[in-house]
Structure formats: structure tokens, C-alpha cells
Amino acid sequence: MESKKYKGKSTEAIHAGETFSTGVQDQQSGKTGIPLLPPIFQNSTFRFETATECASAFIDEESGYVYTRWGNPTQKVLEGKLAVLEAGEAALATASGMGAISTALLTALADGGHVVAMETLYSATYNLLNEEFPRMGIETTFVDATDPNKVESAIRPDTKVIYLESPTNPLLKLVDLAACAEIAKAHNITSIIDNTFATPCSQQPIVLGIDVVLHSMTKYLSGNGAVIAGAIVGEKEFIVAAQKGALRNFGAVISPFNAWLTLLGIPTLPLRFGQHCENAACIAAFLEAHPAVAWVRYPGLPSHPQYELAKRQMNGFGGMITMELKGGRAAGEKLVNQLQICALAVSLGDVRTLVCHPASTTHSHIPMEVRQQTGITDGLVRFSIGLEDTEDIIADLEQALGTLSF
């Protein structure tokens, strides 16, 4: 990892990992210059002057780039920035958030084994653990990881991974990361967390003892709604194993263009995330006071069951809000149909406010009994609060909520 030389997160986001300081030369004109913005190397392969050079690169990959599926200079800059932001030794960029999740899990479970996972997860992660991995002989026990004792109780002799989200998707439950990391280390288990909702601006799980941090960079890190990308951050040994193994062989490789677009977004992450947090706190307070709303979950509200943990573990409570409407599924569907500024769309972390109804969209493939058991009810609505003026978001919510019967 690049040595710690910056005091603030904004400086890290702008400057960390940017190694193109030696300048470039136009071979035709002879002109030289130092690019202020890291260049994009939108090429699939790299040429060599001699057979000896080429052979050397295959033996010692650190000596040169060979093929973009194996690595690319644009990707390398992004990975350097990610490692610094998440306080990890190294990072690996991937083609999507699920590319990061699957690559990390396949690396940690290279010899098979058992997973202990949070019971409420992003739906695609749940499907991976519940449907795809069993075909490979990998079993998962889903537990309420808000209680670290339940995590430890689920550990078996063949457990290789503790997999977490905090805050969780979509219920915004929190996990005591330091406690779970301590449990994992005591049992020689790899701890992995999806930190997409919190971002490194809110929490750095590696500092709290977690081994591997994942991101869907599609969300807050890029922030522009134009990228599909993921990231893995952890110890260098793990990252190298992931890059040379599961990533290279299964092919979830980020394109240079998406790596470059993400590099355009990250420098504004601290500024954007701060405003997301400020806006969400205002909207959450408004929703909690509205008569059509049964309850609101936002880590920054005193009513959140884990508010004290949120204050201790997080630096900023994020831009995600989940609420339950009194009118159930019909009310949820009517609400999202009436909203105008708040766009009905999956994903999150965009500059625009996005809203979705998990029971009919993102979590519709999870069996109803599982959804109900884990609290994903039919009246649940999830907001990703954007960067619009809060008075405009509230006006939109007021008019839509006003159409509901409760």
C-alpha cells in the first residue's frame, strides 16, 4: 500500500495512487508533459520489442504489462487509490460488484468449505451463496449477525468465511465489525464485508480488523450512474491470489474505460458523500414524522435500534433510508408510481434520488417466507437520497404520500 502521507480523506481521494508523475512523450513530435488526469489505456494487449522481453514479462509479471485481463495501467492507478482509501495493503478492481463478491469468495473458498453470512444481504449475494455455491459443495449458514454470539455459534470446523454487510441491504441493520473480526481471527477464518453502503468515508472495516473489503463501485465510488465496476481490498497476498486465480480465470475483469470513469468520480466522493448524509438525515426525520409511515430505518436516527453502534462505528450515516408504509404492498407500489423527482430505479449512490420497492424488484426472487422472516416486508420502500435540494425532495415525497390511504 502507498505510504500514509495525507491527513484527510479528500486529499486521499484526489491524489492517492496517481503515479503518472514522470511524464509522457509523444514519439512523433517529441513533446513531453505530465498529465494532470491519469490517462486511459484502452487497449487489450501490449507489445514488446524482443522475444526476451516478452518471455520475461510472463515469468515476472511485475516487469511489464502483457494483456489487459492480467492488468492494465489505468486499472493500476485506480487500485492504488482504493487501497489507500480503505487502509488496505492492496486492491483489485473488477467488472462489477458481483464480480468482486464472487472473486473474493472463490479465493477464500478455493478448497471448499462453509460460510457464515448475514441473513439479510444484497439479493444477488444471497442467490450466489444460496443457489450457486451449493452446486460447488459450499454451504452457507445465514444468521442474524447483529448479534456476534450468533455468528460464533454458527461456526463449524470447515468454516472458511464470515461474510457481512453493514449497513445491510435493504434493512440498514448494523454489524459490530470489531467484534466479528475478533471472532474470525480467533477461529482463523477470513472475514469479508461489503462496504458499498458506508463507503470508506463512513467506515474503514480493515482498521476495525476485517480482512477483506468489497465495493460495488457502480454506486457511491463512481457516483455518476455511468459505470459498472467492483473492488476488493485486503492484504497483498489475498489480492494477488484473487488476481491470478479467480479473477483471471473466471474473467470478471474491469474495462480500462470503466476504470477511468471511476477515477473521475472518486475525487469528489468525500464531498458527495457528505452531502448524501446531510440530505438523508433531513429526509429521514421528515419521513419519520409522516402519518402514512409506520417506521423509518436510518442509522443516524435515535430510533434506529443500533444508533449507539452507528455513532461509535460510522463517521457519517450514509444516504440510504428504508421505511415501512402503513398501507403495505399496494401503498408501496402507489408511492413509487406517484414520485416525480425521486426516480424509480434500482441501484444507489447516484447524484439523483432513487427509490425502489424491494419486494417487487430487487428481492422478488427471494422466497416470500424468507423475505418475511428477515423483515423485507411488502410495504418496505428503499430510498437512495441524492444531491438535489432537500426542499424539492420533500415536496415530491409530500405530494406522493398525500395520495395514500392509511
Side-chain angles (χ1 to χ4, degrees):
M1 186 185 73
E2 182 178 327
S3 61
K4 180 71 175 179
K5 58 183 180 181
Y6 307 121
K7 294 182 179 180
K9 190 63 67 179
S10 291
T11 311
E12 284 183 349
I14 294 168
H15 292 284
E18 299 199 357
T19 57
F20 290 93
S21 59
T22 55
V24 294
Q25 183 176 30
D26 185 328
Q27 293 183 356
Q28 291 184 337
S29 68
K31 292 182 178 180
T32 61
I34 300 174
L36 188 62
L37 182 69
I40 175 172
F41 289 82
Q42 186 62 41
N43 50 290
S44 60
T45 193
F46 300 83
R47 63 176 292 178
F48 297 88
E49 293 298 327
T50 67
T52 301
E53 275 187 15
C54 188
S56 176
F58 273 82
I59 295 170
D60 177 16
E61 294 179 20
E62 295 300 317
S63 68
Y65 293 98
V66 175
Y67 187 59
T68 286
R69 181 162 58 87
W70 291 24
N72 179 285
T74 310
Q75 174 185 344
K76 190 74 172 178
V77 177
L78 174 59
E79 290 168 346
K81 194 178 292 290
L82 292 167
V84 172
L85 286 169
E86 278 291 10
E89 286 184 356
L92 184 61
T94 64
S96 67
M98 283 309 301
I101 291 166
S102 59
T103 298
L105 285 170
L106 287 167
T107 302
L109 297 161
D111 299 320
H114 170 252
V115 180
V116 176
M118 181 70 182
E119 62 182 357
T120 53
L121 295 172
Y122 174 54
S123 58
T125 308
Y126 175 85
N127 291 339
L128 178 68
L129 293 170
N130 192 56
E131 298 176 9
E132 303 298 335
F133 276 11
R135 299 188 183 109
M136 305 177 192
I138 298 168
E139 297 181 346
T140 299
T141 300
F142 295 94
V143 300
D144 179 4
T146 61
D147 182 353
N149 293 322
K150 292 182 178 178
V151 174
E152 188 159 31
S153 296
I155 291 173
R156 307 187 328 201
D158 62 339
T159 302
K160 298 286 184 64
V161 170
I162 293 174
Y163 186 89
L164 307 167
E165 290 179 8
S166 185
T168 63
N169 185 4
L171 293 172
L172 304 182
K173 293 181 178 181
L174 305 183
V175 175
D176 188 330
L177 299 183
C180 287
E182 186 176 344
I183 290 168
K185 292 186 189 307
H187 293 271
N188 196 29
I189 294 169
T190 301
S191 54
I192 303 177
I193 183 173
D194 183 338
N195 200 35
T196 298
F197 274 28
T199 83
C201 294
S202 175
Q203 63 189 19
Q204 291 179 303
I206 289 173
V207 174
L208 297 173
I210 297 294
D211 296 312
V212 179
V213 173
L214 308 176
H215 282 280
S216 172
M217 297 194 294
T218 309
K219 315 305 195 295
Y220 287 109
L221 267 69
S222 67
N224 52 31
V227 171
I228 298 289
I232 309 170
V233 185
E235 292 184 353
K236 186 175 182 179
E237 182 180 359
F238 185 90
I239 296 301
V240 170
Q243 194 273 332
K244 292 187 175 182
L247 184 76
R248 184 178 299 181
N249 295 329
F250 284 86
V253 179
I254 191 170
S255 74
F257 186 54
N258 276 346
W260 186 74
L261 286 177
T262 306
L263 280 168
L264 295 185
I266 288 179
T268 61
L269 171 65
L271 186 64
R272 287 185 286 106
F273 192 74
Q275 192 62 53
H276 283 297
C277 293
E278 184 177 326
N279 285 5
C282 181
I283 302 303
F286 162 77
L287 290 171
E288 192 169 50
H290 198 283
V293 177
W295 52 259
V296 175
R297 288 290 177 271
Y298 180 68
L301 286 176
S303 59
H304 192 287
Q306 297 163 291
Y307 177 61
E308 293 303 319
L309 175 61
K311 290 194 296 182
R312 184 171 75 250
Q313 187 169 274
M314 302 176 74
N315 178 27
F317 303 114
M320 304 302 298
I321 300 172
T322 298
M323 70 176 184
E324 172 79 16
L325 290 168
K326 292 179 180 178
R329 181 169 184 145
E333 292 181 346
K334 186 173 183 180
L335 175 74
V336 297
N337 287 338
Q338 294 296 321
L339 289 167
Q340 298 170 4
I341 289 177
C342 305
L344 176 55
V346 296
S347 198
L348 57 108
D350 197 285
V351 295
R352 300 160 186 81
T353 295
L354 309 179
V355 59
C356 75
H357 180 241
S360 64
T361 56
T362 56
H363 289 69
S364 60
H365 299 298
I366 296 176
M368 180 181 294
E369 60 273 17
V370 175
R371 292 202 312 267
Q372 297 291 339
Q373 288 170 6
T374 56
I376 304 173
T377 57
D378 286 347
L380 203 71
V381 177
R382 190 195 76 177
F383 288 94
S384 170
I385 302 300
L387 304 183
E388 302 95 341
D389 295 303
T390 53
E391 55 264 38
D392 290 317
I393 302 173
I394 288 173
D396 192 25
L397 289 167
E398 278 184 325
Q399 65 82 21
L401 288 166
T403 66
L404 304 183
S405 300
F406 49 90

